[in-house]
Amino acid sequence: MAQSDKQTKFILDENEIPTHWYNIVPDLPAPPAPVLHPGTGQPIGPADLAPLFPMALIMQEVSSEKTIEIPDEVRDIYRLWRPSPIFRARRLEKALDTPAHIYYKYEGGSPAGSHKPNTAVAQAYYNKADGTKRLTTETGAGQWGSALSFACALFGLECTVYMVKASYYQKPYRKSMIEAYGATIYASPSTQTQSGRKVLAESPDTPGSLGIAISEAVEDAATHDDAHYSLGSVLNHVMLHQTVIGQEALKQMEKAGEYPDVVIACVGGGSNFAGLTFPFVGEKLRQGKKTRIVAAEPTACPTLTKGVYAYDLGDTVGLTPLVKMYTLGHTFIPPAIHAGGLRYHGDSPLVCQLLDHGLIEAVAHPQLRVFEAAVQFARTEGILPAPEAAHAIRSAIDEALAAKAAGEKKVILFNLSGHGHFDMGAYDAYFAGKLEDFDYPDEAIAEALTHLPKVG
Amino acid sequence: MAQSDKQTKFILDENEIPTHWYNIVPDLPAPPAPVLHPGTGQPIGPADLAPLFPMALIMQEVSSEKTIEIPDEVRDIYRLWRPSPIFRARRLEKALDTPAHIYYKYEGGSPAGSHKPNTAVAQAYYNKADGTKRLTTETGAGQWGSALSFACALFGLECTVYMVKASYYQKPYRKSMIEAYGATIYASPSTQTQSGRKVLAESPDTPGSLGIAISEAVEDAATHDDAHYSLGSVLNHVMLHQTVIGQEALKQMEKAGEYPDVVIACVGGGSNFAGLTFPFVGEKLRQGKKTRIVAAEPTACPTLTKGVYAYDLGDTVGLTPLVKMYTLGHTFIPPAIHAGGLRYHGDSPLVCQLLDHGLIEAVAHPQLRVFEAAVQFARTEGILPAPEAAHAIRSAIDEALAAKAAGEKKVILFNLSGHGHFDMGAYDAYFAGKLEDFDYPDEAIAEALTHLPKVG
């Protein structure tokens, strides 16, 4: 019997923190669709992005190198929580009475409680090196806002966060954490920006959306010389930075002596999904592995399962370039579900391209079944998950139950992207029977899709 | 230059999780004072404790063995967060411009966010093995209540938690977490017990105290056959279980190539203090090391710095045995400061004996300087500390500044016993200027001390 037959935790040495980020672009079957200027509809170049990002990040955004070296300063801070552990969920397996082996990579050990610092630290580093004084950003559930304010504190950068209003009130303590790290925070839409004021004039009671908050943060950076903008998901360089997760996971699964049949992560903008799965997609593309890669999203914001693959704006107001992605339309405002990090009308263009190529699949879960999975996981495995991550747990449990029904041994790996210590209001609402399922009506989505920009 | 000159993180392999708990009792210069029956004033024996605890834990409580083996089932669950890392606080050192080397052991990576699961898991294990169906307990800040409910969920035990009313309302999300793990929770004093009803009749508006909540939990267990009581601090077997912290720390400091001149932890009931420091006190006693051991407590509840060393009750109502400890009197009700875990009128008898022997020293910090240290730590080291743990940070910073003033290199090690993700309300109050310092008046303490039970 191999030692791994009894082990439940698979860790790596500190010197096994990856030295390079993995870039999936050169492994893709086709080059990514170009990013277009929102005014001219023509492809944009690095110079067009210079008002928002330091050149080092722009070069990563358009890179076709296979790997990009991680600066020592970034790896030094990664040591606070990396390498992150992989656990075999033996108690959950037993509760489900499944022949499946369930593994999870746990990213909740970072100071901000999620995978987000993997890119926040890198972005703060390159901005500091570029002379940036202040970073602006948006945040949904607050995971990204706390991660960036944490990173800015460590590099001595100022930080301004526009937090989606629905989450700002649902998660007051995320706001407090962001302030504790020294950042300034506004509920979005705010009166701080022209974009915010425009939305407020039209819909004073809007719960806000990531699309609106992005408009505000982009406008703030674009109109202030010493400020740059920072995005916690969607963009290629963000996906790139997160690949430390999957690179570690590949090594850890080797230590476990198994290779996953299914790899699962939740998708909001795509960053934790890309982080875990891109290195496994790379193995599919290069080694012909048959691994299924599953993206789990909410039925309340079913971008990958009900959106269209088209050029759309990344924000609501129209300050960002046009990118080709699965989208529900940039005017789509999802209901205020408790997985605030998954309320985005689009998704990472790279993730969307993989779905278009048939290299990954997507599934949508209603809110109540997600919380049911979260509670079952907490009471068996002991870690209380963030509602976003619980979408991945739901999929993992569904896969494990399917394996049981089929009498198949199956190896499942999912990303537990964050803990739920800031989400207790959502758990309260769940236990009080106050949570509802949102199955966003097809007609509303169809209407939002009529607002897609015309291209070409 | 040794590698440790550059390192910031010192980790151990999974197989270096201690295999035994360290019992300080046989190393003490004198045997512990006997525990007395509250009615007769005579020493009690194991049988007297049987209504409350399984015999395995009672035997640990009175053990004079040097070490006690950790069951495999307990070590299996420890793997979820153990071995815990030690970090060198290089960014804090730089901010303080101190020649001191500051190290911290981080226990906040456990599923409950603190060191408390180290004993919760052990206690749940022994109770499960003994056939207990339900555990009752009290909790102050909620760290212990979440730890025990987590452990009970994993072993399939029911759990009833009496949470000090002040914290119940200050930290609603700790309550939610306890419920998410499936436990039942009451604000204490409650109407569930005779003890609670008695206190409520006398002081309907009391913020509660650990002493009262203990009375309730003990009464609940003593009056129900299938229930046992579980305490998260104070008792010898709890100190014992926590020694995994210090045993790991000894190995990690060896890897760092330094031995601490000062070892610091906060003290409420003494469990995280004992956990980190007892193995270092053992080195003092057995090897003649000169290490200073510092207990940090709040000025609002200055048990070790202003209490008397005398026999007193562990609870407010008088259901527990009499133990010899530093105490502010069992009728003492500390103000509702935000470090709820440090609001206890007494302290672990073992910790108190060490203070009486002059083997450790104690210092009290006012609330505002504690939060100042917490914020400085969060913005340099990145981890947002629990207010309890921030008392240790305050002491560590003070020691580092003293080293700077004296131009001395000094090696400081402290325990960062938990993260502050459930304490954001306290941080909010601090930033809003709403926190006050409480210097508990000497007259109030003198009055409380007149209620000490007469012994012998």
Side-chain angles (χ1 to χ4, degrees), chain A residues 72-107:
Chain A
D72 282 346
E73 292 85 344
V74 172
R75 291 180 86 236
D76 272 351
I77 297 179
Y78 278 177
R79 288 189 174 85
L80 272 172
W81 69 98
R82 308 217 70 83
S84 70
I86 277 189
F87 295 101
R88 167 109 179 253
R90 290 187 187 272
R91 288 180 294 271
L92 176 62
E93 289 171 14
K94 201 173 156 192
L96 297 172
D97 188 24
T98 175
H101 292 187
I102 307 175
Y103 294 85
Y104 60 96
K105 178 84 168 159
Y106 182 47
E107 291 288 311

Side-chain angles (χ1 to χ4, degrees), chain B residues 64 83 207 215:
Chain B
S64 55
S215 299

Side-chain angles (χ1 to χ4, degrees), chain A residues 259-265 273 276-282 284 290-296 354-355 358-363 399:
Chain A
Y259 195 88
D261 300 304
V262 194
V263 181
I264 302 165
F273 177 83
L276 177 64
T277 69
F278 279 13
F280 287 92
V281 175
K284 281 180 81 160
K290 299 291 178 207
T291 327
R292 286 173 51 221
I293 313 276
V294 177
L354 293 179
L355 183 63
L359 287 163
I360 66 171
E361 55 195 273
V363 61
E399 293 284 343

Side-chain angles (χ1 to χ4, degrees), chain A residues 9 14 79-80 82 87 111 150 153-154 173 176-177 179-182 378-382 419 421-422 424 428, chain B residues 9 14 79-80 82 87 111 150 153 173 176-177 179-182 378-382 419 421-422 424 428:
Chain A
K9 185 183 188 179
E14 199 179 351
R79 288 189 174 85
L80 272 172
R82 308 217 70 83
F87 295 101
F150 148 77
L154 266 52
Y173 291 164
S176 315
M177 188 184 204
E179 290 176 328
Y181 282 129
R379 293 184 184 175
T380 51
E381 290 300 309
H419 69 56
H421 294 181
F422 286 89
M424 297 316 307
D428 277 355
Chain B
K9 185 183 188 179
E14 198 178 353
R79 287 190 174 86
L80 271 173
R82 306 215 72 82
F87 295 102
F150 149 76
Y173 291 164
S176 314
M177 188 185 204
E179 290 176 328
Y181 283 129
R379 292 183 184 176
T380 51
E381 290 300 310
H419 69 57
H421 295 180
F422 286 89
M424 297 317 307
D428 277 354

